[in-house]
Amino acid sequence: MRSMLRWIAQGVALAGLLVVLGFGAEPASAQVVPFRVTGAGVADFIPLVPGQASPHDAIGTATHLGRYEAEGLVRLDGFTGPTTGTFSSAEPVAFTAANGDVLRFDYQGNVNLFGAGDGLFITVWIAEFTPASGSTGRFERVVDGSFIMTAISAPFSLDAPFLVGYSWSGSGWIEFDRGR
């Protein structure tokens, strides 16, 4: 009887070890990887009216993209105070890698307007970017993700907020479907 109990105890211990080690588990179907991006670009103008959208572009480097070119459309959604507001992508921003693969993101966030002296202003934009449909090449397998972007504009005049330069950076993660 004692030897039978010992065998049962050893069997339970072995089964527990196999569970801890993951034997018998299905392989992971997704891979989460860090994502970092930096760059600079130009917005055609700073949207100053709710619902107004402005084209913007950027060049820079990003994890999994390498050197990229990006194009998007930023929309002012509304004001939350005299110098603060919310914004979002009027259409997904498309990051194009050197080989032509495209990674698309939607974004939404908050913008703050600060005086820079001599009648000029700067804006600080903080947004969460999440993957959007329509990515191509190796990015067709991106199923989830999030990164926080901070962008700072060059000084501009409210009388002529046109062709405003900006720099930006962000970090977070993206998730690739590994398939079966």
Side-chain angles (χ1 to χ4, degrees):
M1 181 71 167
R2 263 196 165 150
S3 65
M4 182 182 277
L5 289 176
R6 188 176 315 142
W7 279 102
I8 291 172
Q10 288 175 346
V12 169
L14 180 59
L17 179 63
L18 291 175
V19 168
V20 169
L21 294 177
F23 287 100
E26 291 193 31
S29 63
Q31 179 182 14
V32 175
V33 294
F35 184 79
R36 289 184 174 70
V37 61
T38 61
V42 175
D44 284 8
F45 60 92
I46 300 294
L48 299 175
V49 176
Q52 190 176 45
S54 172
H56 64 89
D57 61 34
I59 57 171
T61 57
T63 315
H64 311 290
L65 283 158
R67 188 126 174 97
Y68 71 82
E69 294 181 4
E71 292 184 352
L73 194 60
V74 61
R75 174 182 50 230
L76 178 64
D77 294 328
F79 291 103
T80 57
T83 60
T84 59
T86 58
F87 69 96
S88 62
S89 52
E91 61 184 41
V93 61
F95 291 83
T96 304
N99 73 346
D101 290 356
V102 176
L103 179 56
R104 295 182 185 278
F105 287 97
D106 288 318
Y107 56 82
Q108 61 182 13
N110 298 299
V111 59
N112 291 283
L113 179 71
F114 296 98
D118 294 327
L120 299 176
F121 295 86
I122 63 167
T123 51
V124 176
W125 310 73
I126 300 174
E128 179 183 22
F129 280 57
T130 56
S133 62
S135 294
T136 66
R138 65 186 177 273
F139 302 115
E140 288 180 87
R141 296 182 9 248
V142 172
V143 294
D144 198 7
S146 170
F147 75 89
I148 303 300
M149 175 276 306
T150 302
I152 301 173
S153 74
F156 64 92
S157 166
L158 290 177
D159 295 331
F162 306 108
L163 299 177
V164 178
Y166 65 92
S167 60
W168 72 302
S169 65
S171 65
W173 57 277
I174 56 175
E175 182 178 342
F176 287 88
D177 181 3
R178 292 174 63 176
R180 294 202 183 256

